[in-house]
């Protein structure tokens, strides 16, 4: 790794670990993963979902809405502070998308693994109109929206899976 790249990575890590907004946007540091930050960034969404299971669906829907609304500001502000729109390490949108996808998943290890795989697939492949949303919208809303639609697609597939398995 060249010296400039290493220095840039160190500066980014310092900015993430010392700034509360960046720390949240980068998924409590998970977005600093050297590869597949979106995949690693989805893990806190699973943990958060697990922590809210006992509260019931209505509370979980409220948590999902709060994650999405707060995420618009967090993602936009973090992008502004680091000077890169939709930096790959900004994973609050993946946390939120994963959380929303799990709302539709069967409560089982297999169901959650399927939810994880489907959400990551939709987020990576970006079927229409996700790719268009990703390229056309700026700011925190643009950062969040493509992952929210990816979560919706994954949830629809999970719903069909559950319906077919009844």
């Amino acid at each position: 790794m060249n010296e400039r790249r290493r220095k840039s990575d160190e500066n980014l890590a310092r900015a993430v670990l010392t700034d509360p907004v960046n720390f949240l946007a980068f998924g409590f540091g998970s977005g600093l993963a050297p590869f597949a930050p979106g995949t690693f960034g989805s893990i806190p969404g699973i943990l958060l979902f697990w922590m809210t299971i006992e509260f019931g669906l209505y509370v979980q829907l409220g948590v999902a809405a709060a994650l999405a609304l707060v995420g618009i500001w967090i993602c936009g502000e973090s992008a502004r502070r680091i000077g890169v729109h939709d930096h790959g390490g900004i994973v609050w949108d993946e946390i939120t998308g994963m959380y929303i996808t799990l709302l539709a998943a069967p409560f089982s290890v297999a169901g959650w693994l399927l939810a994880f795989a489907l959400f990551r697939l939709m987020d990576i492949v970006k079927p229409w109109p996700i790719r268009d949303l990703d390229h056309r919208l700026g700011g925190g809303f643009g950062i969040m929206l493509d992952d929210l639609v990816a979560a919706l697609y994954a949830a629809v597939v999970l719903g069909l899976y559950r319906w077919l398995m009844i």
Side-chain angles (χ1 to χ4, degrees):
M1 181 183 301
N2 69 34
E3 184 65 22
R4 178 180 278 170
R5 170 75 186 224
R6 187 180 63 74
K7 196 70 145 168
S8 175
D9 290 347
E10 288 174 3
N11 289 339
L12 178 62
R14 188 176 305 109
V16 168
L17 298 175
T18 60
D19 181 330
V21 171
N22 289 333
F23 187 67
L24 290 172
F26 277 70
F28 315 101
S30 64
L32 291 172
F35 62 92
T39 299
F40 282 98
S42 297
I43 294 170
I46 297 169
L47 297 174
L48 182 59
F49 189 83
W50 179 262
M51 292 180 345
T52 62
I53 285 174
E54 295 297 318
F55 298 127
L57 180 61
Y58 294 119
V59 170
Q60 288 179 305
L61 289 170
V63 169
L67 288 170
L69 292 173
V70 170
I72 293 169
W73 182 81
I74 288 173
C75 292
E77 183 61 19
S78 180
R80 187 189 67 75
R81 290 181 186 192
I82 64 172
V84 179
H85 173 70
D86 206 1
H87 184 284
I90 295 176
V91 295
W92 185 272
D93 49 337
E94 274 82 9
I95 292 170
T96 305
M98 189 69 246
Y99 189 94
I100 291 169
T101 302
L102 287 169
L103 288 168
F107 185 72
S108 67
V109 172
W112 284 29
L113 287 173
L114 180 59
F116 182 81
L118 285 170
F119 173 67
R120 292 308 306 141
L121 178 70
M122 296 300 173
D123 190 30
I124 292 167
V125 173
K126 297 189 184 315
W128 184 88
I130 299 172
R131 185 167 307 283
D132 290 342
L133 294 171
D134 191 38
H135 291 124
R136 289 186 185 176
L137 299 172
F141 187 70
I143 294 170
M144 288 294 298
L145 189 59
D146 67 307
D147 287 85
L148 296 176
V149 175
L152 178 64
Y153 279 20
V156 167
V157 172
L158 284 166
L160 288 171
Y161 168 79
R162 291 181 79 167
W163 180 69
L164 291 171
M165 299 316 273
I166 294 179

